[in-house]
């Protein structure tokens, strides 16, 4: 190990007459901090990082290639798994893209139900990071609190779809089946439970002085870097980039929700540090819970009706190409579909949020210490599958 | 209590008692931690091993004894192998000088406070040896963090203890408890706070656990240790907590003296000591459940800019108090 | 004596979560308050392979990751156990026809218990752990591991051996 080779020689070179060799440290691929298998090659002088390079590809599963041999209905199984914390949002993105090429009308009920499930998915995603981020800074307990809330929401999601993580509830043209009897009430109950207990969690996380000391002013990401690297989602909004596709390029029912009197609002912060990123997540949970309640109210008003459209036995998408982007919990997720009129896509390219968000680490890490590296890495809110696909 | 017995027998019995306490108290504390942490997090803690999970740490011990003993190829073998012992033995020695009741002390040396403080600071060498000897970069980083941390927290710790010793006019732990009276709780409060913070740092517990920060440097100096050697380090950590809790009780909480019965000898005194020490230890555990860890430089700043001045002010207050009252 | 030794190993399984993908989240769920495998003596605080007894491989094993898994397994001290958690690590799962996914972690390391599902529910992991504990209770200490170790000892370990050569492009006419 090269730690043994640290040569300390008294000589002309180096500060204070001491010259030390730098140490190359491999963080990952399996390291407690990377929650997944991101690998970082950092060069450190003592604890000070002089260079950092994210090494990606450990989770590359070739999903885009596999899309090319899967039926459009089967694609969703894989699409849903690349970012495993935003499963439902991923499914819907694929469905929207395919529906657009098919020029298919989706029943209104399905659109609202999809919006509802998307927002529940967003809450699930943000709760996960709200638990895991303090865990990386050494606080074990917030994780337990956030998972308590996650279980509440997973229970209603599971009741509808049968899955706890990978819901597979979206179909091209609608949803899997109609909402169960009384389900909307149970969603409302779960939302109000989560809302009432959320202050416990946020108080434990954001209110903690040590956590503030570890995150305020750390890992500041300025707006220029955000734009240069194509960073999106809560991370970009924490640096003051006021972009949210739900408002700016509305899909599903977001046009109405983010309209004049809608409950939706875009959460932004100016500071751009780790604390701001965490703060954005907390407030986005509140916004999403509001949106869920708006959706349940609307679904009640709509009354019974169809929730999916009839599809031919062989689903062929007419030749053409289409790009569709959605605001996933972690950022902008794009789908570029090229069809040659077959039952399988010619190419389905994913533009995943984490891939861009992680690249910026190369700019952020040099100059920080190893302990801050963990704080910054955790605050970039990435999912390794979303990086590597 | 054992004064009438022959010298060798007395020494042997006392050694056996200290060893028994040394082996059972940390286990009890570990079990308490499992359960306390579990309940604070809405869980139950271990349930299946033994009744209500009481055997969890015993099972851990049996398991560790069966584990393969790995010495990494890159390790500095003698240093690597010796480190757990160096970390563990000082606490055993220190425990023997702690009085749990007026007459219940294994070795009543005149300057026992000095002995305890001196011996516990040897433990850091074990951590440093582990960090260096493992031949692992994470261990090295952790070892150096631990070294820096323990050196800077040693000073406020000693100053806080010195304040009490000054107030009591003796360096003997039994003497300190005999001199103690309830209003010292107020008089020595800053010293108590400094001592508590510094002892958490000495023990490398949350929030001062940067040397073993698992999300940063895996497990710091202990990364490469397996089986019994690792278990020794764990035992040292919990023995350290027991020791620090007992020391805090003796220095600041009046040791075996209860609010009503001031005689202090015998079993009641022991119970008081253990009760107070448990309360302090629960405080240590609570910190771990509630707080994240501070960064290495924040931790140093806290030691030098907050704890040290506070300890010095306390020394001045104590000095003034001793002059006025004396 | 054997009963005591087995009891110790059975209820002190310090687990090293090889969290790779979706299943890792369900693994975390299983350690949280609702399912709580700490009740069973599975302690999730092992920070590295050296202190752990049980490795739970949860998620898709890719060919790039394979050498790291094998290396971490080799770093764990005996006696050690492996649970393969989820369809991906059992067999490749939904990625069975991918060019870069290892079809089952049992090609690299011996697996004691397979937990099916994509991802399996936390309850399934609890069942897997209980099954493993029953297996441990029936073991003879010292001899147990010889059953599977030799099969894997000569398997490739290094990245160079595991990584396949690049596929040559088809000849252009």
């Amino acid at each position: 190990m090269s730690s043994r080779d640290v040569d300390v020689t008294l000589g002309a070179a180096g500060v204070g007459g001491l010259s030390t060799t730098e140490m190359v440290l491999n963080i990952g691929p399996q390291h407690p901090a990377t929650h997944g298998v991101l690998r970082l090659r950092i060069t450190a002088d003592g604890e000070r990082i002089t260079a950092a390079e994210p090494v990606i590809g450990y989770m590359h599963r070739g999903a885009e290639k596999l899309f090319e041999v899967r039926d459009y209905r089967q694609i969703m199984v894989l699409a849903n798994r690349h970012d495993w914390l935003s499963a439902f949002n991923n499914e819907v993105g694929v469905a929207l893209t395919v529906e657009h090429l098919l020029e298919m009308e989706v029943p209104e009920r399905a659109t609202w139900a999809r919006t509802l499930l998307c927002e529940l998915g967003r809450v699930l995603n943000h709760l996960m990071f709200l638990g895991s981020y303090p865990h990386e800074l050494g606080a074990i307990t917030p994780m337990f609190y956030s998972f308590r809330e996650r279980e509440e929401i997973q229970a209603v999601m599971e009741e509808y779809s049968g899955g706890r993580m990978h819901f597979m509830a979206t179909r091209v043209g609608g949803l899997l089946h109609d909402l169960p009897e009384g389900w909307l009430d149970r969603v409302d109950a779960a939302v109000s439970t989560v809302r009432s207990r959320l202050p416990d969690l946020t108080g434990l996380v954001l209110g903690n002085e040590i956590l503030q000391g570890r995150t305020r002013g750390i890992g500041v990401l300025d707006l220029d870097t955000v734009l240069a690297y194509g960073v999106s989602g809560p991370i970009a909004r924490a640096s003051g980039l006021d972009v949210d596709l739900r408002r700016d390029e509305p899909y599903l029912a977001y046009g109405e929700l983010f309209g004049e009197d809608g409950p939706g609002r875009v959460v932004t912060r100016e500071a751009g540090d780790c604390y701001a990123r965490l703060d954005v997540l907390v407030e986005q949970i509140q916004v999403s819970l509001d949106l869920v309640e708006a959706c349940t109210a609307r679904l009640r008003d709509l009354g019974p009706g169809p929730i999916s459209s009839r599809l031919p036995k062989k689903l062929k998408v007419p030749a053409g190409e289409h790009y569709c982007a959605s605001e996933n919990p972690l950022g902008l997720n794009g789908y570029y579909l090229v069809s040659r009129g077959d039952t399988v896509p010619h190419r389905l390219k994913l533009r995943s949020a984490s891939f861009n968000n992680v690249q910026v680490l190369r700019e952020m890490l040099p100059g920080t210490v190893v302990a801050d590296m963990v704080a910054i890495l955790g605050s970039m809110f990435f999912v390794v599958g979303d990086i590597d696909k | 209590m054992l004064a009438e017995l022959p010298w060798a027998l007395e020494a042997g019995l006392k050694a056996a008692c200290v060893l028994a306490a040394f082996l059972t108290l940390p286990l009890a504390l570990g079990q308490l931690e499992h359960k306390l942490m579990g309940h604070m997090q809405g869980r139950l803690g271990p349930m299946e091993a033994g009744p209500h999970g009481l055997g969890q740490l015993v099972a851990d011990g049996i398991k560790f004894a069966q584990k393969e003993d790995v010495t990494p190829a890159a390790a500095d073998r003698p240093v690597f192998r010796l480190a757990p012992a160096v970390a563990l033995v000082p606490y055993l020695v220190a425990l023997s000088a702690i009085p749990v009741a007026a007459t219940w002390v294994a070795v009543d040396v005149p300057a026992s406070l000095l002995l305890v403080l001196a011996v516990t600071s040897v433990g850091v060498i074990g951590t440093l040896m582990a960090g260096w000897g493992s031949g692992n970069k994470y261990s090295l980083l952790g070892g150096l963090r631990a070294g820096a941390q323990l050196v800077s927290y040693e000073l406020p710790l000693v100053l806080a203890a010195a304040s009490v010793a000054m107030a009591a006019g003796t360096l003997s732990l039994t003497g300190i408890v005999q001199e103690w009276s309830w209003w010292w709780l107020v008089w020595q409060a800053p010293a108590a706070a400094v001592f508590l913070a510094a002892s958490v740092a000495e023990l490398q517990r949350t929030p001062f656990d940067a040397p073993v920060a698992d999300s940063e440097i895996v497990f710091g100096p202990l990364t490469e240790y397996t089986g019994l050697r690792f278990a020794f380090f764990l035992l040292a950590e919990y023995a350290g907590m027991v020791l620090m809790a007992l020391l805090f009780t003796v220095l600041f909480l009046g040791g075996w003296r209860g609010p009503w019965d001031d005689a202090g000898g015998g079993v009641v005194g022991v119970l008081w000591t253990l009760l107070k020490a448990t309360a302090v230890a629960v405080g240590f555990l609570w910190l771990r459940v509630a707080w994240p860890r501070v960064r290495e430089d924040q931790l140093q700043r806290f030691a030098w800019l907050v704890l040290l001045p506070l300890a010095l002010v306390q020394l001045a207050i104590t000095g003034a108090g001793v002059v006025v009252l004396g | 004596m054997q009963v005591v030794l087995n009891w110790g190993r059975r209820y002190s399984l310090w687990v090293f979560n090889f969290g790779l993908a979706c299943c890792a989240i369900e693994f975390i769920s299983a350690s949280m308050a609702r399912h709580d495998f700490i009740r069973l003596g599975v302690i999730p605080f092992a920070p590295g392979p050296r202190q752990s007894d049980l490795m739970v491989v949860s998620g898709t094993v890719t060919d790039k990751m394979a050498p790291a898994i094998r290396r971490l397994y080799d770093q764990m001290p005996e006696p050690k156990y492996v649970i393969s958690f989820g369809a991906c690590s059992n067999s490749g799962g939904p990625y069975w026809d991918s060019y870069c996914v290892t079809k089952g972690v049992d090609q690299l390391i011996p697996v004691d218990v397979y937990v099916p599902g994509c991802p399996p529910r936390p309850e399934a992991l609890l069942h897997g752990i209980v099954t493993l504990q029953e297996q441990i209770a029936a073991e003879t200490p010292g001899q147990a591991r010889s059953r599977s170790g030799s099969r894997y000892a000569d398997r490739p370990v290094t990245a160079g051996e595991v990584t396949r050569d690049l596929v040559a492009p088809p000849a252009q006419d």
Side-chain angles (χ1 to χ4, degrees):
Chain A
M1 287 255 162
S2 65
S3 60
R4 296 305 207 73
D5 311 333
V6 175
D7 87 278
V8 183
T9 45
L10 287 167
V15 187
L18 284 174
S19 87
T20 54
T21 36
E22 288 178 336
M23 178 159 86
V24 176
L25 206 55
N26 272 304
I27 309 283
Q30 180 65 22
H31 181 272
T34 57
H35 53 83
V37 284
L38 180 70
R39 176 172 157 208
L40 282 176
R41 248 174 74 91
I42 60 174
T43 315
D45 181 12
E47 293 233 7
R48 182 78 52 187
I49 296 171
T50 53
E53 183 193 0
V55 181
I56 62 172
Y58 281 95
M59 204 64 249
H60 179 63
R61 305 187 276 196
E64 287 178 7
K65 197 72 194 163
L66 296 185
F67 288 154
E68 294 168 17
V69 290
R70 298 281 201 273
D71 180 86
Y72 283 102
R73 288 171 267 221
Q74 295 170 324
I75 280 178
M76 282 173 200
V77 176
L78 296 181
N80 163 331
R81 277 164 176 76
H82 75 87
D83 173 359
W84 48 79
L85 287 176
S86 342
F88 193 81
N89 307 58
N90 295 334
E91 294 174 23
V92 167
V94 175
L96 287 174
T97 316
V98 176
E99 282 156 12
H100 190 273
L101 270 187
L102 284 168
E103 291 173 358
M104 178 186 266
E105 277 293 315
V106 179
E108 201 184 359
R109 248 168 89 72
T111 304
W112 280 95
R114 280 176 175 182
T115 315
L116 187 154
L117 289 164
C118 270
E119 289 307 314
L120 282 180
R122 193 180 308 272
V123 176
L124 278 181
N125 175 301
H126 288 357
L127 278 174
M128 177 72 209
F129 285 105
L130 212 52
S132 73
Y133 184 53
H135 193 266
E136 271 144 40
L137 297 178
I140 18 185
T141 310
M143 192 86 158
F144 289 87
Y145 282 68
S146 76
F147 265 76
R148 184 179 65 176
E149 315 309 336
R150 270 177 64 90
E151 293 284 346
E152 285 299 327
I153 294 177
Q154 274 181 329
V156 286
M157 296 283 271
E158 188 188 352
E159 186 189 346
Y160 176 64
S161 67
R164 281 170 52 88
M165 284 192 66
H166 297 308
F167 306 108
M168 276 310 298
T170 319
R171 297 289 183 267
V172 174
L175 283 172
L176 157 75
H177 50 58
D178 206 352
L179 306 175
E181 185 85 31
W183 184 73
L184 291 173
D185 299 330
R186 288 190 285 280
V187 172
D188 279 341
V191 166
S192 64
T193 317
V194 171
R195 201 196 292 278
S196 68
R197 291 196 302 215
L198 204 58
D200 293 355
L201 176 62
T202 53
L204 200 62
V205 177
L206 292 180
N208 187 295
E209 295 82 3
I210 295 178
L211 192 120
Q212 291 180 3
R214 287 292 304 273
T215 53
R216 273 193 203 275
I218 302 298
V220 177
L221 182 62
D222 59 71
L223 194 54
D224 292 335
T225 321
V226 166
L227 293 171
Y229 278 81
V231 176
S232 57
I235 302 166
R237 286 195 284 276
S239 297
L241 184 70
D242 190 12
V243 168
D244 191 323
L245 290 185
R246 291 178 293 172
R247 182 198 59 195
D248 302 330
E249 265 179 47
Y251 57 102
L252 293 179
Y254 287 123
E256 190 180 325
L257 289 170
F258 278 79
E260 282 295 299
D261 309 313
R265 61 200 152 86
V266 179
V267 183
T268 54
R269 293 286 180 278
E270 292 303 318
D273 56 4
C274 298
Y275 185 82
R277 291 192 272 276
L278 200 59
D279 202 21
V280 167
L281 280 201
V282 170
E283 202 177 330
Q284 287 204 149
I285 294 181
Q286 302 283 6
V287 173
S288 291
L289 292 177
D290 289 344
L291 293 177
V292 170
E293 281 182 337
C295 289
T296 53
R298 186 56 182 267
L299 278 167
R300 278 200 198 90
D301 290 347
L302 283 176
I307 201 149
S308 56
S309 342
R310 280 194 67 80
L311 290 179
K313 194 150 196 171
K314 257 197 155 139
L315 181 64
K316 284 192 179 169
V317 172
E321 52 190 80
H322 179 61
Y323 179 77
C324 166
S326 65
E327 184 71 31
N328 262 24
L330 297 179
L332 205 150
N333 208 42
Y335 307 85
Y336 182 56
L337 173 65
V338 181
S339 172
R340 296 202 168 162
D342 225 336
T343 54
V344 295
H346 177 65
R347 175 92 167 94
L348 177 56
K349 165 89 178 80
L350 289 172
R351 184 267 183 220
S352 54
S354 303
F355 180 76
N356 290 57
N357 293 357
V358 160
Q359 300 308 322
V360 82
L361 283 173
R362 196 191 295 255
E363 298 272 333
M364 292 171 82
L365 289 182
T368 57
V369 293
V370 173
D372 281 343
M373 184 266 304
V374 177
I376 295 170
L377 192 63
S379 76
M380 294 313 286
F381 309 130
F382 59 87
V383 168
V384 184
D386 202 29
I387 302 172
D388 295 339
K389 292 178 280 233
Chain B
M1 155 181 85
L2 300 167
E4 297 85 32
L5 293 172
W7 179 85
L9 187 61
E10 182 192 336
L13 267 176
K14 280 179 170 175
C17 286
V18 170
L19 194 64
F22 186 69
L23 291 178
T24 51
L25 289 179
L27 286 192
L29 186 63
Q31 186 67 28
L32 185 67
E33 173 168 38
H34 264 310
K35 284 293 176 188
L36 199 73
M37 208 155 89
H39 285 287
M40 281 182 177
Q41 296 168 341
R43 301 183 282 117
L44 292 170
M47 290 299 285
E48 297 292 318
H52 209 71
L54 281 177
Q56 180 58 47
L57 293 181
V58 182
D60 280 342
I62 295 172
K63 190 256 335 232
F64 277 128
Q66 296 174 69
K67 292 297 271 187
E68 188 185 357
D69 180 26
V70 179
T71 308
D76 193 337
R77 294 181 80 85
V79 177
F80 181 82
R81 285 161 168 267
L82 199 61
V86 177
L88 188 63
V89 170
Y91 289 118
L92 178 62
V93 174
L95 194 66
S96 63
I98 301 267
V100 287
T103 50
W104 288 47
V105 50
V107 196
D108 197 7
V109 289
S112 47
L113 176 61
L114 206 60
L115 175 79
V116 169
L117 289 177
V119 164
T120 45
S121 54
V122 173
V124 60
I125 297 177
T127 316
L128 271 176
M129 282 166 72
W132 173 255
S134 298
N136 177 316
K137 292 174 204 171
Y138 292 118
S139 298
L140 185 69
L141 277 180
L144 292 180
R145 280 182 179 191
Q149 172 172 337
L150 298 191
V151 166
S152 40
Y153 278 87
E154 197 70 27
L155 201 56
L157 188 84
V158 170
L159 286 179
S163 159
V164 182
M166 213 159 99
T170 170
L171 277 174
S172 155
L173 289 172
T174 25
I176 287 173
V177 179
Q178 270 148 11
E179 291 292 320
W180 188 86
S181 56
W182 66 266
W183 54 272
W184 285 27
L185 283 177
V186 184
W187 188 30
Q188 298 296 336
V194 169
F195 189 89
L196 206 57
S199 57
V200 174
E202 286 277 296
L203 297 168
Q204 301 168 26
R205 297 278 302 179
T206 316
F208 303 114
D209 62 343
V212 291
D214 60 346
S215 57
E216 294 162 24
I217 48 174
V218 191
F219 211 27
L222 315 186
T223 305
E224 294 285 354
Y225 280 90
T226 57
L228 272 184
R229 284 177 214 281
F230 176 70
F232 281 154
F233 270 115
L234 278 191
L235 188 63
E237 183 186 340
Y238 285 87
M241 278 168 72
V242 169
L243 183 81
M244 283 300 177
L246 282 172
L247 194 59
F248 185 84
T249 310
V250 167
L251 289 178
F252 295 99
L253 302 178
W256 59 82
R257 294 170 58 177
W260 309 287
D261 170 28
D262 230 26
V267 183
V268 181
V270 176
L271 286 181
W272 272 118
T273 309
L274 288 182
L275 189 70
K276 291 173 183 175
T278 310
V280 177
V282 165
F284 289 151
L285 304 181
W286 198 339
L287 288 180
R288 178 170 178 206
V289 182
W291 275 352
R293 70 174 68 87
V294 298
R295 209 169 54 218
E296 196 58 25
D297 58 313
Q298 293 170 335
L299 178 150
Q300 295 287 349
R301 190 169 299 130
F302 183 66
W304 294 104
L305 297 184
V306 179
L307 290 187
L308 195 62
L310 200 61
L312 290 173
V313 168
Q314 171 70 61
L315 268 186
I317 295 173
T318 312
V322 169
V323 171
V324 170
L325 298 169
Chain C
M1 188 63 192
Q2 182 182 325
V3 173
V4 173
L5 289 178
N6 283 349
W7 178 80
R9 271 178 294 126
R10 179 176 179 183
Y11 287 118
S12 172
L13 289 167
W14 287 42
V15 60
F16 177 61
N17 176 23
F18 211 105
L20 293 163
C22 336
C23 302
I25 308 294
E26 286 299 68
F27 175 88
I28 300 170
S29 284
S31 71
M32 289 295 146
R34 179 160 298 184
H35 303 98
D36 190 16
F37 59 45
I38 303 172
R39 283 180 297 132
L40 304 171
V42 178
I43 312 290
F45 302 134
R50 295 282 192 206
Q51 290 84 31
S52 57
D53 316 296
L54 167 64
M55 176 151 108
V56 176
V57 183
S58 45
T60 321
V61 182
T62 58
D63 288 351
K64 187 169 181 178
M65 199 64 210
I69 291 185
R70 180 56 197 265
R71 188 167 169 189
L72 283 171
Y73 177 78
D74 288 342
Q75 282 178 351
M76 284 168 64
E78 292 280 357
K80 52 192 170 186
Y81 306 94
V82 177
I83 291 182
S84 164
F85 184 63
C88 286
S89 65
N90 290 347
S91 66
Y95 298 92
W96 60 274
D97 52 348
S98 170
Y99 53 84
C100 48
V101 170
T102 307
K103 290 9 166 229
V105 73
D106 53 3
Q107 295 184 23
L108 304 163
I109 55 176
V111 174
D112 292 276
V113 174
Y114 298 86
V115 179
C118 186
R121 301 177 58 84
E123 290 89 335
L125 180 60
L126 295 183
H127 184 220
I129 290 168
V130 172
T131 311
L132 178 66
Q133 288 182 337
E134 281 162 7
Q135 285 181 17
I136 295 173
E139 272 178 358
T140 313
Q143 298 179 352
R145 305 305 299 165
S146 58
R147 65 188 148 89
S148 47
S150 55
R151 242 180 79 209
Y152 292 86
D154 52 350
R155 288 290 173 93
V157 193
T158 61
E161 286 170 287
V162 171
T163 312
R164 63 189 66 162
D165 290 335
L166 288 175
V167 181
Q172 301 281 322
D173 291 324

